[in-house]
Amino acid sequence: MALPDFLVLGVPKAGTTALHAALSRHPGLFLPQVKEPKFFLSEGPPPARGGPGDAQTYQEHVWRRRDYEALFAPAPAGTLTGEATPFYLYDLDAQNRIRRLLPKVRIIVLLRNPVDRAHSNWTHLWAAGLESERDFVRACALEEQRRDAGWAQFWHYVSLGRYGEQLAHLFGLFSRDQVLLLRYRDLRDSPAATLDRVCEFLGVETGLVGLVPSENVTPFVADTPVNTALRAVLRTGGRVGHHFPVPVRRVVRDPLLSALQRQKGGRPKLTPEQRRAVLPYFVDDIARLEELTGLVYRDWLTVGLEPEVID
């Protein structure tokens, strides 16, 4: 039975793609080419509908067990296998499914300042042409409405960053020595030392991987009339017109996305005013996180800007 020995559970926009790429280079570890298989996010087929772009994402879920196990079948003998799906931490039902199938799994969690994480999340969907709300603060305020409409988890800008709630549930299922808690800042600023911590936690040789590639970095997308039109097409739900049944992603979406991201430049900046507006969503949960872990996260309560390097 080919099932993973370790999982990277969270969180989105906190360096999980970069960590996946770095660990894939370790000779004692095997991670499948499919990053974020999302197997534990559903008991069976994923939903068929949701917010803009969600239907296409749901089609990418590896939800059949035989297909999931096939991802790890090529692993060389003696290697540890793992995968990274950063939504597993947020989805408490996914945590329960993991506990039932993999009670002894090793778990890696990457946490990032929740305001910066939410802004990077919004920037990602904006650059993909899926986010229609130009104002980040307003997009956060729309979360409840979007959740009620069945939009997928990646639209939950605020809730994805309430780590105290998520870890409290996780620690009720798994012993704490099964969980390695890291910060995005550590992976960004001290990659070699952080990767050695991961390798030591997994029980494989340290000192073999020391670089974290910049993966999944969101490009610059200008707010122009032309790009507004491109976004409107990209948000059509995966099809162009009633008489053209071929998915946009295969025929039109990729060229449209390239056109949308054609310009070079810096990413949208998170302003101190925006940070002040969004921070209250997280203050109580940051306190809970500190109490739960015994670690200090109060630097997240400041209004200083965090540089973007990896996502």
Side-chain angles (χ1 to χ4, degrees):
M1 180 172 64
L3 287 170
D5 300 296
F6 67 93
L7 297 171
V8 180
L9 293 198
V11 296
K13 310 308 295 181
T16 56
T17 299
L19 180 60
H20 177 279
L23 295 180
S24 295
R25 300 175 180 179
H26 194 291
L29 302 175
F30 175 86
L31 292 90
Q33 292 185 349
V34 176
K35 196 258 177 183
E36 296 190 26
K38 303 180 177 69
F39 172 72
F40 291 101
L41 294 183
S42 63
E43 292 282 5
R49 297 182 179 181
D54 289 348
Q56 175 62 40
T57 300
Y58 288 141
Q59 293 173 17
E60 297 168 356
H61 284 216
V62 181
W63 59 271
R64 295 180 179 86
R65 179 161 172 174
R66 64 176 180 275
D67 295 333
Y68 186 63
E69 292 188 8
L71 296 178
F72 306 100
T79 58
L80 294 180
T81 60
E83 62 111 329
T85 298
F87 296 97
Y88 289 161
L89 181 66
Y90 174 58
D91 191 319
L92 304 189
D93 288 333
Q95 291 187 24
N96 294 335
R97 295 183 190 107
I98 293 168
R99 177 63 178 81
R100 289 195 295 269
L101 189 60
L102 304 172
K104 297 182 179 180
V105 71
R106 306 288 280 178
I107 294 169
I108 301 165
V109 178
L110 275 165
L111 300 183
R112 182 181 185 180
N113 182 311
V115 179
D116 292 291
R117 195 223 65 80
H119 186 260
S120 184
N121 196 158
W122 169 83
T123 303
H124 180 111
L125 289 169
W126 173 263
L130 300 175
E131 175 60 80
S132 60
E133 179 50 61
R134 292 172 170 82
D135 182 79
F136 165 61
V137 176
R138 172 62 180 160
C140 290
L142 289 172
E143 179 174 322
E144 184 175 356
Q145 174 183 328
R146 290 171 167 183
R147 286 168 59 101
D148 290 344
W151 290 27
Q153 295 170 345
F154 201 38
W155 295 95
H156 302 179
Y157 301 147
V158 172
S159 298
L160 279 165
R162 293 184 58 84
Y163 313 132
E165 298 175 357
Q166 301 159 28
L167 284 170
H169 187 268
L170 186 74
F171 289 151
L173 298 174
F174 298 94
S175 65
R176 298 206 180 195
D177 61 3
Q178 288 179 255
V179 181
L180 176 64
L181 199 57
L182 301 172
R183 290 181 64 148
Y184 166 87
R185 184 180 67 187
D186 298 333
L187 189 65
R188 184 196 66 203
D189 295 344
S190 306
T194 303
L195 290 171
D196 276 350
R197 284 187 64 193
V198 174
C199 291
E200 184 176 5
F201 171 71
L202 296 176
V204 296
E205 186 176 353
T206 60
L208 298 185
V209 287
L211 296 177
V212 176
S214 294
E215 297 280 337
N216 200 27
V217 176
T218 305
F220 168 72
V221 174
D223 188 7
T224 65
V226 171
N227 284 351
T228 297
L230 290 170
R231 284 194 182 87
V233 178
L234 286 164
R235 289 196 302 271
T236 56
R239 300 183 183 279
V240 177
H242 298 291
H243 305 293
F244 186 47
V246 182
V248 170
R249 184 178 178 88
R250 294 168 55 188
V251 176
V252 181
R253 179 176 173 82
D254 288 347
L256 283 174
L257 196 56
S258 296
L260 181 67
Q261 299 172 354
R262 68 194 180 280
Q263 295 172 284
K264 304 296 182 182
R267 295 157 52 122
K269 300 295 185 182
L270 176 63
T271 68
E273 292 74 22
Q274 289 174 322
R275 187 181 296 277
R276 289 189 186 96
V278 174
L279 184 58
Y281 289 118
F282 305 108
V283 172
D284 66 321
D285 189 74
I286 291 172
R288 183 177 186 183
L289 178 64
E290 289 190 326
E291 181 179 2
L292 183 68
T293 64
L295 302 173
V296 176
Y297 293 94
R298 65 196 62 176
D299 54 295
W300 289 350
L301 300 174
T302 65
V303 184
L305 299 181
E306 176 182 289
E308 300 281 357
V309 178
I310 59 174
D311 268 340

